[in-house]
Amino acid sequence: MHVVWTIISIQYILKNEGDEPARGMFVVESNFAQTSFVKKQHSQYSCEIVLDGETRSLEVARSFKTDGRVSALRVTDACDRLQFNFEPNEDAGFITDTLTFRRPDAYGSVREDSKTLITSFFWDVDLPVGRAVEKNINFSVTGVPSRKRNPSTPL
């Protein structure tokens, strides 16, 4: 059973009040900072998108990009047992990457210090003078459902 803790509808209104048509890319970015520093853990976060109506798991250690056709994103935080769900009102392009922070340690060696997962929806925008376009993203935070552990399955 999922318990929804937060539901937010985010509305962006892009309006061209200039004297010439406006063309470009509109990007909405969300960042997820590393909060667990357990050495054996591969990644604190996992990502799933709905691409062309099919759910697809992404390997967060690798960059991923697709132009259009993404209708949902779920980022799961395994440590805090939370799911962050994003649903744009229209299909979007999507990109994900990991930003790695490296700092010198006490001995002068540069070491990986932390990571941030970056996720971005994007749309091409072509606005004639005096026109506006609306983009909406429904965002929710839920708890990760608990699974009953099968004794024969390793942890």
Side-chain angles (χ1 to χ4, degrees), residues 49-54 68-73 86-94 121 138:
I49 59 171
V50 176
L51 175 63
D52 291 328
E54 300 287 326
R69 308 180 332 264
V70 173
S71 59
L73 163 68
F86 300 82
E87 292 182 50
N89 65 325
E90 62 185 70
D91 285 358
F94 179 76
F121 288 107
N138 293 316

Side-chain angles (χ1 to χ4, degrees), residues 3 5 32-38 41 43-46 75-84 141-146:
V3 177
W5 295 352
F32 298 88
Q34 179 180 357
T35 59
S36 173
F37 297 93
V38 177
Q41 183 177 337
S43 178
Q44 179 175 345
Y45 299 102
S46 62
V75 176
T76 301
D77 179 340
C79 296
D80 293 326
R81 301 190 47 77
L82 295 173
Q83 291 178 331
F84 302 90
V141 179
T142 59
V144 174
S146 58

Side-chain angles (χ1 to χ4, degrees), residues 70-128:
V70 173
S71 59
L73 163 68
R74 173 178 289 152
V75 176
T76 301
D77 179 340
C79 296
D80 293 326
R81 301 190 47 77
L82 295 173
Q83 291 178 331
F84 302 90
N85 306 290
F86 300 82
E87 292 182 50
N89 65 325
E90 62 185 70
D91 285 358
F94 179 76
I95 189 166
T96 186
D97 206 350
T98 301
L99 178 62
T100 302
F101 296 91
R102 293 178 175 84
R103 294 186 174 88
D105 63 14
Y107 306 103
S109 297
V110 177
R111 300 176 48 144
E112 182 179 299
D113 186 52
S114 65
K115 293 181 180 181
T116 296
L117 175 65
I118 303 165
T119 63
S120 300
F121 288 107
F122 61 89
W123 297 265
D124 288 320
V125 175
D126 188 359
L127 281 175

Side-chain angles (χ1 to χ4, degrees), residues 9-62:
S9 183
I10 304 161
Q11 180 183 46
Y12 301 93
I13 299 174
L14 308 173
K15 186 174 181 183
N16 183 359
E17 295 178 340
D19 297 331
E20 297 181 22
R23 291 180 185 86
M25 190 77 66
F26 178 64
V27 181
V28 176
E29 180 178 290
S30 299
N31 297 307
F32 298 88
Q34 179 180 357
T35 59
S36 173
F37 297 93
V38 177
K39 296 293 180 195
K40 291 184 181 182
Q41 183 177 337
H42 183 263
S43 178
Q44 179 175 345
Y45 299 102
S46 62
C47 281
E48 292 177 306
I49 59 171
V50 176
L51 175 63
D52 291 328
E54 300 287 326
T55 301
R56 179 174 175 178
S57 294
L58 303 179
E59 188 177 331
V60 295
R62 298 178 55 161

